[in-house]
């Protein structure tokens, strides 16, 4: 995935403390200025990190490189078991101290966990199994992602254009 991701300074600080940013291979791009405007309106808002005593508001990283850096860092975490190619099927049994999780695919067929994090998307099987209600809304929005190569090198300015249909 060659998309660029924009990380706020707090995110960069957290990922640095966790040892992820140091594993990035591609150079990051500092967000030193933010230019905000609204379609159809006169004027703009310009924010400069130096005016606020900062080197940058955040960083731009390549998504693929970020994913590889996360993988590299996770591979060094002791006590972490990762099961790829495995999917949740159900909770089973009664255990006062933990949940018993039934799995299908590669890896164990059953796990016992005191904490279950359901990071399995909008159609979460874990959430459904726990009976946690959700409300879905179609916002009628479309996302377009493009990666462009400009004649000039980036100057550290992030642009955000507000419109009636949302930001660009």
């Amino acid at each position: 995935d060659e998309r660029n991701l924009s990380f706020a300074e707090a995110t960069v600080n957290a990922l640095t403390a966790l040892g992820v940013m140091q594993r990035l291979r591609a150079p990051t791009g500092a967000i030193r200025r933010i230019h905000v405007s609204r379609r159809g309106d006169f004027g703009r808002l310009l924010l400069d990190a130096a005016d606020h005593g900062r080197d940058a508001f955040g960083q731009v990283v390549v998504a693929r490189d970020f994913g590889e850096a996360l993988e590299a860092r996770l591979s060094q975490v002791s006590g972490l078991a990762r099961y790829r190619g495995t999917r949740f099927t159900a909770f089973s049994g009664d255990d006062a101290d933990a949940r018993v999780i039934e799995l299908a695919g590669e890896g164990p067929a059953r796990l016992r966990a005191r904490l279950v994090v359901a990071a399995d998307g909008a159609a979460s099987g874990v959430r459904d199994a726990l009976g946690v209600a959700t409300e879905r809304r179609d916002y009628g929005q479309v996302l377009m992602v493009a990666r462009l190569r400009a004649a000039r090198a980036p100057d550290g300015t992030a642009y955000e254009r507000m419109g009636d249909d949302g930001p660009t």
Side-chain angles (χ1 to χ4, degrees):
D1 187 346
E2 297 303 316
R3 288 179 295 156
N4 288 333
L5 304 173
S6 298
F7 292 155
E9 182 181 31
T11 301
V12 171
N13 292 343
L15 290 170
T16 300
L18 292 170
V20 176
M21 294 298 284
Q22 300 86 322
R23 288 173 175 73
L24 292 172
R25 291 182 297 150
T28 62
I31 301 171
R32 291 192 168 81
R33 286 169 300 286
I34 301 174
H35 178 282
V36 184
S37 62
R38 180 165 177 81
R39 187 179 322 125
D41 286 352
F42 178 76
R44 65 182 184 216
L45 171 67
L46 296 172
L47 300 170
D48 192 310
D51 292 343
H52 299 277
R54 299 173 168 198
D55 178 50
F57 290 118
Q59 298 286 327
V60 176
V61 303
V62 176
R64 177 187 313 271
D65 190 36
F66 177 62
E68 290 170 357
L70 280 173
E71 287 289 336
R73 180 63 184 107
L74 285 171
S75 71
Q76 296 179 327
V77 175
S78 62
L80 174 67
R82 297 176 71 197
Y83 303 103
R84 293 189 166 172
T86 303
R87 64 181 178 82
F88 167 84
T89 57
F91 289 112
S92 67
D94 287 328
D95 188 328
D97 296 327
R99 295 264 185 196
V100 178
I101 304 163
E102 300 287 335
L103 303 171
E106 300 173 24
R110 182 176 284 176
L111 290 175
R112 206 173 151 270
R114 290 177 39 201
L115 174 65
V116 176
V117 177
D120 55 342
S124 172
V126 174
R127 186 186 61 235
D128 290 343
L130 292 171
V132 176
T134 184
E135 182 178 314
R136 294 184 189 195
R137 293 184 189 143
D138 181 355
Y139 290 94
Q141 295 181 345
V142 176
L143 172 67
M144 180 186 80
V145 177
R147 185 168 174 148
L148 308 172
R149 186 173 308 270
R152 292 183 297 166
D155 69 354
T157 303
Y159 292 88
E160 188 162 3
R161 179 86 162 166
M162 304 297 183
D164 293 337
D165 297 329
T168 301

